[in-house]
């Protein structure tokens, strides 16, 4: 498998035909008055990238060479819509003399989505439509920021 960066153009897949007609990001932060606890979240969404389903023809008559024939027009068939939700809970604690500690608890892929990110598109291959990558599963992270 590979890792993708969904927040960057092309998702790190390095294919020039990767595009989405729409992309949305919603994020927010609220500091609860009780104990100064911060709660934040981010929702990232985008249209699925085009799937280039094709048939590969290795040899043709009269030395015409190899060709890969697309089965659909570019953009007619797309991967599922990408949705990614992450949340964070944090609390600032002052230790005195200008020192602060902020413990954090993060959850990535809150709803444990398994969105398809890459799939074998050559239809006359023995592994046609094989899933190559899906969105990483639910991840928890505990950390701290120390300011001095």
């Amino acid at each position: 498998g590979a890792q993708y960066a969904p927040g960057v153009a092309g998702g790190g897949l390095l294919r020039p035909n990767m595009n989405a007609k729409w992309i949305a990001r919603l994020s927010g932060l609220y500091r609860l008055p009780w104990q100064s606890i911060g709660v934040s979240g981010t929702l990232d969404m985008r249209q699925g990238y085009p799937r280039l389903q094709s048939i590969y023809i290795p040899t043709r008559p009269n030395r015409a060479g190899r060709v890969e024939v697309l089965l659909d027009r570019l953009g007619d068939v797309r991967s599922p819509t990408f949705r990614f939700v992450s949340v964070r809970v944090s609390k600032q604690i002052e230790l005195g003399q200008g020192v602060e500690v902020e413990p954090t608890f993060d959850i990535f892929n809150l709803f444990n989505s398994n969105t398809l990110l890459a799939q074998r598109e050559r239809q006359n291959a023995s592994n046609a439509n094989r899933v190559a990558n899906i969105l990483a599963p639910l991840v928890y992270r505990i950390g701290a920021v120390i300011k001095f």
Side-chain angles (χ1 to χ4, degrees):
Q3 294 181 355
Y4 299 128
V8 301
L13 294 173
L14 301 175
R15 283 183 42 188
N17 54 11
M18 292 273 181
N19 68 0
K21 294 180 181 177
W22 59 270
I23 298 174
R25 174 174 279 173
L26 177 66
S27 59
L29 166 69
Y30 183 73
R31 180 126 345 244
L32 298 169
W34 178 75
Q35 296 291 322
S36 189
I37 294 175
V39 178
S40 61
T42 302
L43 166 66
D44 283 315
M45 293 179 64
R46 68 161 165 75
Q47 181 184 34
Y49 289 140
R51 290 204 51 227
L52 302 178
Q53 298 180 83
S54 64
I55 294 177
Y56 179 70
I57 302 170
T59 58
R60 295 186 295 161
N62 302 320
R63 297 183 190 175
R66 300 177 290 221
V67 67
E68 191 153 354
V69 179
L70 293 178
L71 299 177
D72 302 294
R73 288 183 23 214
L74 181 60
D76 282 357
V77 178
R78 291 183 169 268
S79 298
T81 299
F82 175 85
R83 293 177 188 88
F84 187 80
V85 177
S86 58
V87 295
R88 169 180 271 196
V89 177
S90 63
K91 177 172 175 39
Q92 291 180 338
I93 302 169
E94 291 191 32
L95 299 178
Q97 298 180 6
V99 177
E100 283 185 22
V101 174
E102 184 178 6
T104 61
F105 178 69
D106 297 292
I107 303 174
F108 302 100
N109 195 3
L110 179 65
F111 299 113
N112 203 25
S113 302
N114 61 350
T115 304
L116 177 70
L117 296 176
Q119 185 173 12
R120 179 71 169 171
E121 296 171 336
R122 188 171 292 157
Q123 298 302 300
N124 61 340
S126 61
N127 58 353
N129 297 317
R130 179 181 164 266
V131 174
N133 287 83
I134 60 172
L135 184 62
L138 177 75
V139 174
Y140 300 104
R141 179 174 70 186
I142 298 173
V145 176
I146 301 171
K147 300 176 188 174
F148 54 93

